[in-house]
Amino acid sequence: MPAPLIAIYPGSFDPPTNGHLDLIARGSRLVSQLIVAVLENTQKQPLFSVAERIAMLKEAAGSHANVQVDSFQGLLVDYAAERQAGVILRGIRAVSDYETELQMALLNRRMRPGTETIFLMASEEYSFLSSRMVKEIITLGGDVSHFVPSIVLSRLREKFSKR
Ligand code: PNS
């Protein structure tokens, strides 16, 4: 019998979108345990703190029994080793994602042989969606209610009403 499959779904999730949630739902059906891991990136100035992003992901993805939300610093492969995860899960939206994703998957496998990256094609309705665009639209006063889970919409509205 194959060993239980532990997968990590890493990302910035600033903020989580419906596309991320779709990938979590679909990915969680393929593996024994899915760890959604928020990168603590000291170089980027995020809109939401890591704690805020974790809280939103926990609330939005809380219904999946085999999904955990965590954060990590440093190399993804080191974190994967620490969590005993053999698989990295990533979504691909358009051809433009492919190049970077291929590079990351190959580098990760070179740094930690045996680490496999599983790609899921984004569902058509989310193939145009990104956290960056969500932030841009709301900054310019547009409606993002169709693009993010309700908890994220509330947090975005709070954030932008204070500005
Ligand atoms: O949501 P994003 O910003 O596309 O996610 C990118 C992420 C977090 C998966 C990537 O930047 C990453 O794994 N960073 C951790 C540092 C690392 O391991 N870098 C080498 C990757 S080859």
Side-chain angles (χ1 to χ4, degrees), residues 26-70:
R26 288 163 55 213
S28 68
R29 292 198 284 269
L30 301 175
V31 299
S32 323
Q33 195 189 357
L34 183 64
I35 302 165
V36 181
V38 179
L39 173 68
E40 292 186 33
N41 189 344
T42 48
Q43 266 142 47
K44 267 196 203 167
Q45 186 56 258
L47 178 61
F48 289 101
S49 69
V50 170
E52 287 174 316
R53 282 176 271 164
I54 289 179
M56 289 186 281
L57 282 164
K58 278 190 176 162
E59 179 148 348
S63 59
H64 308 288
N66 64 339
V67 173
Q68 258 185 42
V69 185
D70 193 11

Side-chain angles (χ1 to χ4, degrees), residues 9 13 15-27 34 36 57 60 64 89-93 120-131 134 144-149 152:
Y9 176 29
F13 304 107
T17 67
N18 286 340
H20 293 129
L21 266 294
D22 175 58
L23 214 82
I24 292 170
R26 288 163 55 213
L34 183 64
V36 181
L57 282 164
H64 308 288
L89 176 72
R90 291 286 287 171
I92 289 209
R93 290 164 299 190
L120 289 184
M121 295 300 152
S123 299
E124 307 87 278
E125 65 262 49
Y126 305 125
S127 59
F128 55 87
L129 197 52
S130 70
S131 299
V134 165
V144 295
S145 56
H146 296 296
F147 305 146
V148 294
V152 175

Side-chain angles (χ1 to χ4, degrees), residues 46-106:
L47 178 61
F48 289 101
S49 69
V50 170
E52 287 174 316
R53 282 176 271 164
I54 289 179
M56 289 186 281
L57 282 164
K58 278 190 176 162
E59 179 148 348
S63 59
H64 308 288
N66 64 339
V67 173
Q68 258 185 42
V69 185
D70 193 11
S71 62
F72 74 105
Q73 290 176 330
L75 283 177
L76 176 59
V77 285
D78 291 341
Y79 175 71
E82 185 192 312
R83 299 301 309 260
Q84 297 180 330
V87 167
I88 293 167
L89 176 72
R90 291 286 287 171
I92 289 209
R93 290 164 299 190
V95 178
S96 49
D97 282 341
Y98 177 80
E99 220 169 305
T100 327
E101 294 299 333
L102 174 72
Q103 186 183 22
M104 284 202 294
L106 294 180

